[in-house]
Amino acid sequence: MSISQAASAVEKAIGHDDSAVTAQDVSTYTSEGDKGSMKALCWMGKNSVQVLDVPRPKILEPTDVILRVTGSTVCGSDLHLLHGTIVQLNKGDILGHEFCGIVDEVGSAVTKAQKGKRYVASFQIACGECFFCKQKLSSQCEKTSANSTQRAMYGGQTAGMFGYSHFTGGFAGGQAEYVRVPLGDVNLLEIPEGVPDEKALYLSDVLATSYNAVHDTAVYPGDQIAVFGAGPIGHMAGIFAIGAGATKIIFVDTEPRLSFIKERWPMEHADKLELIDFKKLSFGVTNEDTVVSRLKELCGGRGPDAAIECVAGEYAKGWVHWLELMLGAETDTSEIVNEMIEGVRSFGRCGITGVYVGYTNHFNIGSLMERGIRLIGNGQAPVHKYWKELLQQIQKGDLDPLQMISHRVRMEDLDKVYYKFEKREDGMQKVFVETKFSLPACAGSPQLTRY
């Protein structure tokens, strides 16, 4: 039994609290009242996923909606599930938190979602009525996850999330041909005519997450910004920072991602782009060039006004953190966060958007306090706060999600895609996953790649 599965067993023994208004731990579907089978991407153990034929979902609650999935994707945070970094996964759990589709069935209490229409789902599951939902802070819904372990670790619970372990409610995900959407009227946004799935899909997470990272960290006109991580979240955070008036965007990552950003970066803002390859630099206490020294050099000796972390806490650079992660002495490395704190100017801002699970060692609290650095947990992005605004930007032509898409792939190949994405093979950055229900590819979509 893996650590992730053991943690799930502990939660089961402890028992959930009574805060959720929707069924918990429906991470797979049963064949009872058989509706046939479908293909789905399932977690099979640490570093193992498979596309399997599994039972299709059915209506369990009156507020449920069943979608025929027409598009999904793979997120960098899905790799934390693959690696077993996120706890409380069970063998056979269906993954995937970003998806769109066509309504196939609706529960008796559903009043807004209509059969046959296209919708995109938010990655979080919100009730629409609690303290946070009334403020559109949907990622912190108080009524859709009853996980006792999370409450004990964090001092509170996030919203339930699709395909992201029993730690966040245990909901089956959308890397499948069908998916059950609890509280469907709240968690689905209709896709209007003229907006293809290949653009609307990313309202589910990546666009809202990167937009939130920029606005929650606070980017002001004239700011110089460092973005740690040049994946899709970092890429779009850079685009949104330009929109907020930033005059310099510095990406910290390595190849092939830095080249992908450079090739796709808007020509009219080419003078604002800087790239730092961390693999060509030293780190820690040294007289050699580091990410921190390069940031100072590029920003007048002081450092950028703000830094945004779009990576995650599981990737150690040095042997000390690597060993502590392996031994379970910490769940997350503090190395990137320390580089941000040390790299920004005094009274600068550091926002954390990449996934951090629990606890870290060797955190530079001294620099944070002495230099007046603001450390901001951006949180899981409240998708409902932003997705209508971002949809309007897409409709107006002000926002083109296709700029971050590198591949179009098949549902049948999704397990192979996970491993290629993990290794960054074939320049894979962000994918669009089509199913047998997908509409014809829109203009600008990458050609279909088969594996």
Side-chain angles (χ1 to χ4, degrees), residues 37 48-49 53 86 97 136 194 200 220 269 287 300 316 327 430 440 442:
S37 65
S48 177
V49 292
D53 289 313
I86 304 296
H97 58 273
K136 298 297 183 184
Y220 301 107
H269 298 297
N287 290 324
L327 294 175
K430 191 69 172 176
C442 73

Side-chain angles (χ1 to χ4, degrees), residues 163-444:
Y164 216 72
S165 90
H166 298 261
F167 192 64
T168 60
F171 296 92
Q175 289 169 352
E177 292 177 330
Y178 291 85
V179 61
R180 168 182 168 260
V181 180
L183 302 162
D185 278 343
V186 179
N187 296 298
L188 293 171
L189 177 68
E190 185 175 351
I191 303 172
E193 290 295 323
V195 178
D197 288 352
E198 292 90 341
K199 294 184 179 181
L201 165 64
Y202 303 101
L203 293 167
S204 59
D205 180 0
V206 59
L207 294 176
T209 294
S210 49
Y211 197 66
N212 180 67
V214 168
H215 287 275
D216 191 56
T217 303
V219 174
Y220 301 107
D223 274 355
Q224 298 177 324
I225 306 298
V227 179
F228 284 72
I233 299 290
H235 183 170
M236 297 311 297
I239 295 295
F240 289 130
I242 288 291
T247 57
K248 182 175 290 186
I249 308 294
I250 307 164
F251 286 96
V252 182
D253 207 317
T254 190
E255 297 297 345
R257 286 187 159 176
L258 292 178
S259 291
F260 186 93
I261 294 288
K262 186 174 182 180
E263 291 165 4
R264 303 291 183 102
W265 192 251
M267 287 298 297
E268 64 270 26
H269 298 297
D271 61 324
K272 300 179 176 71
L273 178 65
E274 297 284 353
L275 306 174
I276 295 178
D277 189 335
F278 73 85
K279 285 192 175 179
K280 295 181 179 180
L281 300 170
S282 186
F283 60 90
V285 180
T286 177
N287 290 324
E288 298 179 9
D289 284 341
T290 63
V291 169
V292 172
S293 67
R294 286 287 292 135
L295 288 174
K296 303 289 187 185
E297 180 184 327
L298 289 169
C299 299
R302 292 181 299 275
D305 299 285
I308 302 174
E309 201 276 8
C310 302
V311 187
E314 71 162 293
Y315 304 109
K317 296 174 73 172
W319 68 267
V320 172
H321 281 282
W322 177 87
L323 183 60
E324 290 176 344
L325 287 170
M326 291 300 101
L327 294 175
E330 64 178 1
T331 59
D332 305 274
T333 173
S334 60
E335 289 160 299
I336 293 176
V337 176
N338 283 343
E339 286 180 338
M340 291 200 303
I341 290 169
E342 297 161 15
V344 297
R345 65 168 174 81
S346 294
F347 294 106
R349 305 174 300 284
C350 297
I352 301 178
T353 283
V355 173
Y356 285 71
V357 178
Y359 306 98
T360 189
N361 299 325
H362 317 293
F363 174 67
N364 195 345
I365 194 170
S367 180
L368 182 84
M369 180 269 153
E370 296 289 352
R371 299 177 53 240
I373 309 302
R374 272 63 174 163
L375 183 62
I376 303 154
N378 299 133
Q380 296 286 356
V383 172
H384 295 193
K385 182 177 181 179
Y386 301 117
W387 60 353
K388 290 182 180 179
E389 176 186 352
L390 291 166
L391 176 58
Q392 290 177 352
Q393 291 184 31
I394 292 172
Q395 289 179 290
K396 292 176 182 178
D398 296 333
L399 173 61
D400 183 11
L402 290 175
Q403 64 189 291
M404 64 178 168
I405 312 307
S406 61
H407 290 71
R408 186 185 185 97
V409 298
R410 303 185 306 160
M411 175 71 226
E412 293 85 344
D413 294 330
L414 194 49
D415 44 6
K416 303 181 188 73
V417 169
Y418 256 73
Y419 301 122
K420 288 185 174 292
F421 182 61
E422 177 189 29
K423 297 174 183 176
R424 301 184 185 177
E425 292 179 358
D426 302 337
M428 191 173 285
Q429 182 83 344
K430 191 69 172 176
V431 301
F432 180 88
V433 182
E434 68 173 37
T435 74
K436 64 184 180 182
F437 303 120
S438 295
L439 302 172
C442 73

